Amino acid sequence: MPHTPALLVLDMQNALMAVADRAAETVAAIAGLRERARAAGVPVVTIQHRGEGLEAGSEGWRIVPELRPAEGETVVHKTGADAFVDTGLDRILTALGVTEVVVTGYATEFCVDSTARQALSRRYDLILVADGHTTKARPDADGLVSSDRAIAHHNAVYRYIGYTGRRIRVLPASEVDFAAPGPPVRRS
């Protein structure tokens, strides 16, 4: 099967970006990546969460202006952390012939992590965009590590995690190339 990537943009919504760590930098990294994906003919799939504080149609629920989907781009609505559960995401990616997902968005340790792991379990290769995901701005408190430590931790985990037959890479947005990757790198 030919290499076919898709860019996933998770939960980059007004209310969430209002509380996110390095929101402007993350939005800018994703926006640049999205433009490159579009130019390369790579599908962009926007994932939009609905729930408490993110009621459909509310201003907080809306995607930030810099990342609003273009006419005809796919939007998937979800109500849980995993963008594959009770949505048509897997069906959409399969219909597009996608073999690799490029994951970006909010929140690193919840929706981004859950979706990335499910993508691997569903046999997609994965690129986690190191500077293209974020979480709620916070210090170390209440058993959670600070936002910058959570982001760094997840980037490190995905550099070492292994799924048989899957290619997993953690790259800054500037290094994401939508062309077919080389052979998988063996981990020791």
Side-chain angles (χ1 to χ4, degrees):
M1 178 177 269
H3 172 259
T4 306
L7 175 62
L8 303 185
V9 180
L10 283 90
D11 304 342
M12 296 298 288
Q13 296 163 251
N14 289 326
L16 301 175
M17 290 303 96
V19 298
D21 183 46
R22 53 185 193 80
E25 295 89 343
T26 305
V27 168
I30 296 170
L33 192 58
R34 185 180 69 160
E35 290 309 311
R36 290 187 7 245
R38 287 175 176 163
V42 169
V44 177
V45 179
T46 300
I47 315 295
Q48 190 170 26
H49 191 85
R50 186 181 73 240
E52 187 176 332
L54 295 170
E55 289 78 18
S58 69
E59 189 56 32
W61 173 80
R62 295 187 203 301
I63 303 297
V64 295
E66 302 89 338
L67 298 175
R68 288 209 177 114
E71 186 70 31
E73 282 185 342
T74 302
V75 178
V76 173
H77 298 274
K78 68 179 184 64
T79 57
D82 179 349
F84 287 94
V85 171
D86 297 329
T87 71
L89 181 58
D90 194 41
R91 180 182 43 76
I92 291 164
L93 297 175
T94 299
L96 292 169
V98 171
T99 60
E100 177 179 64
V101 292
V102 179
V103 176
T104 66
Y106 182 93
T108 297
E109 65 276 68
F110 300 107
C111 302
V112 170
D113 183 56
S114 296
T115 300
R117 287 179 192 260
Q118 272 302 309
L120 290 166
S121 292
R122 293 169 187 260
R123 308 199 61 74
Y124 296 99
D125 290 335
L126 172 72
I127 295 176
L128 177 64
V129 181
D131 55 348
H133 63 96
T134 189
T135 193
K136 184 176 181 179
R138 62 173 183 268
D140 286 342
D142 299 324
L144 291 171
V145 297
S146 65
S147 47
D148 60 332
R149 288 179 58 204
I151 293 164
H153 170 81
H154 279 76
N155 286 340
V157 165
Y158 280 93
R159 283 186 182 98
Y160 294 102
I161 198 169
Y163 276 70
T164 302
R166 302 279 63 81
R167 181 176 176 88
I168 304 166
R169 298 179 287 162
V170 179
L171 301 171
S174 63
E175 292 180 19
V176 173
D177 180 356
F178 292 106
V185 176
R186 296 182 66 78
R187 293 184 175 93
S188 53

